[in-house]
Amino acid sequence: MNTKYKYVSDAIEMDIEGGKYAKAGKLPTEDELIELYQVSRNTVRKAVDILVNRGIIMPIQGSGMFLRKIPAGGCINLENFHGLTATFADKITTRVIDFKLTQADEKLADVMQCAVGTSLYFVERLRSIDGVPFVVEYSHFNKDVIPYLNMEIIETSIYRYIMQDLKKQIGYVDRVIEAGRLNAHDAELLELAKGDPALISINRAMLKSGVVFDYSIDIHNYKETKFLKRSNFV
Amino acid sequence: MNTKYKYVSDAIEMDIEGGKYAKAGKLPTEDELIELYQVSRNTVRKAVDILVNRGIIMPIQGSGMFLRKIPAGGCINLENFHGLTATFADKITTRVIDFKLTQADEKLADVMQCAVGTSLYFVERLRSIDGVPFVVEYSHFNKDVIPYLNMEIIETSIYRYIMQDLKKQIGYVDRVIEAGRLNAHDAELLELAKGDPALISINRAMLKSGVVFDYSIDIHNYKETKFLKRSNFV
DNA sequence: TCGCATTTGTACGTATGTATC
DNA sequence: GGATACATACGTACAAATGCG
């Protein structure tokens, strides 16, 4: 089910990343994009809206649609979907610490909106970027949604597997971000000291149908991680 | 310049907050909202889109537009604009630590996209919620945009002053979130210990015209602060 | 300073597709 | 399979901000 606006949005984004509009610092006008992609104005505007919401461009009435400058130092853009693989792509290495089948206890059943006893995959992974330990991820996946997982999948990207192979559409992600202290276990994995600060992200991911399929706790290396959040107001 | 979609969006949001749809757990259908507000379908959809992007509702095709549950424990929603006053409203007290007129040095001129030597207001504030120290904010405001500030304004909400009194429209906010350690000064203000973890947010705010008017560094009490980020995918 | 062209923003209408119930 | 409800996509017209002459 491919849509025109998604196609246009992706095409524009790739052109931005390819540096096509870097010199001008702005996109072509709406009329030019209409001509270029042979779609209606609404479709161009819907495509552009996606990029606006992701903080990539900044339209200014009467003037144009300007590229937003990228802040220094590999931030994880919270609008990008599963930040890590989107931001660092091929630089990531993953070490699987634990991988097993479990059952939802009461607390997990509550946050994952499933029955107590539902089969869950539990995965603990250490992910490094250019060899530097970056984040310890404790993940729970609902086996009703993701019937099968293996080492190869969890060593690369589970999200890609869900979308490309299982053909399921990810709809919504809730993320709570806070700071805390490292326990001994996480500190060792991240090559930091027990009691050091930690940047913690607790995530709940849902399909378009609203079904929760992932609940995970990410303990980030505070020296290496920055989150970027860009907002637009109406 | 009041728009219909903003009116409808605000109206729906107030109804949600007032608990009008809590029992059903979902909004009226698009057709019902069209009838209710006497606007076109596109306008209803645009109004609803705002709430979707803010993570307040979750439309599911063929089914309805469902309310998204609010996570426990007073998170600051990163989609809400200037989180603090939006989230905690009347519980906030502000203590002004420092307030002076300065000039942009090279670093500030760079991030604020103004000339070196531009007049800036510098404000240091400690904000508490229900008497608990919550965040130390170090803010720089471009005096070309905000020609006048006084104690009363900085003790309440500068953003409200900009919008309601100066009638300027806030367009974009960039926010970088990281964790670090408290220095002695901030620790004392937050009633924590030097070296304790800190949740740090560094913000740049722009008007709709793209002019940067605020650059601020917020040092949050890590025991009290949680950020909430909700995303939708296409 | 004024006016005009450019460019994005708002609002309406219509038709058809697609997922859910 | 039919009804319901959200999603995509086309079109039109006018408003509002910017920028240039």
Side-chain angles (χ1 to χ4, degrees), chain B residues 49-83:
Chain B
D49 266 354
I50 293 173
L51 303 177
V52 174
N53 286 328
R54 302 228 328 259
I56 295 171
I57 59 174
M58 185 169 93
I60 292 175
Q61 186 176 165
S63 187
M65 300 185 284
F66 297 85
L67 306 194
R68 272 169 100 159
K69 269 191 238 138
I70 294 162
C75 293
I76 295 178
N77 187 342
L78 289 173
E79 303 305 339
N80 274 353
F81 151 60
H82 220 229

Side-chain angles (χ1 to χ4, degrees), chain B residues 3-5 39-43 46 61-63:
Chain B
T3 60
K4 290 193 184 183
Y5 71 82
V39 294
S40 71
R41 182 178 170 76
N42 283 341
T43 300
K46 184 149 187 178
Q61 186 176 165
S63 187

Side-chain angles (χ1 to χ4, degrees), chain B residues 145-169:
Chain B
V145 182
I146 305 165
Y148 176 72
L149 279 181
N150 62 27
M151 283 298 274
E152 195 206 328
I153 296 166
I154 64 178
E155 278 176 350
T156 53
S157 172
I158 295 174
Y159 277 51
R160 190 173 303 157
Y161 170 67
I162 292 170
M163 291 188 296
Q164 292 182 2
D165 297 335
L166 298 181
K167 309 262 184 236
K168 305 206 177 191
Q169 289 192 295

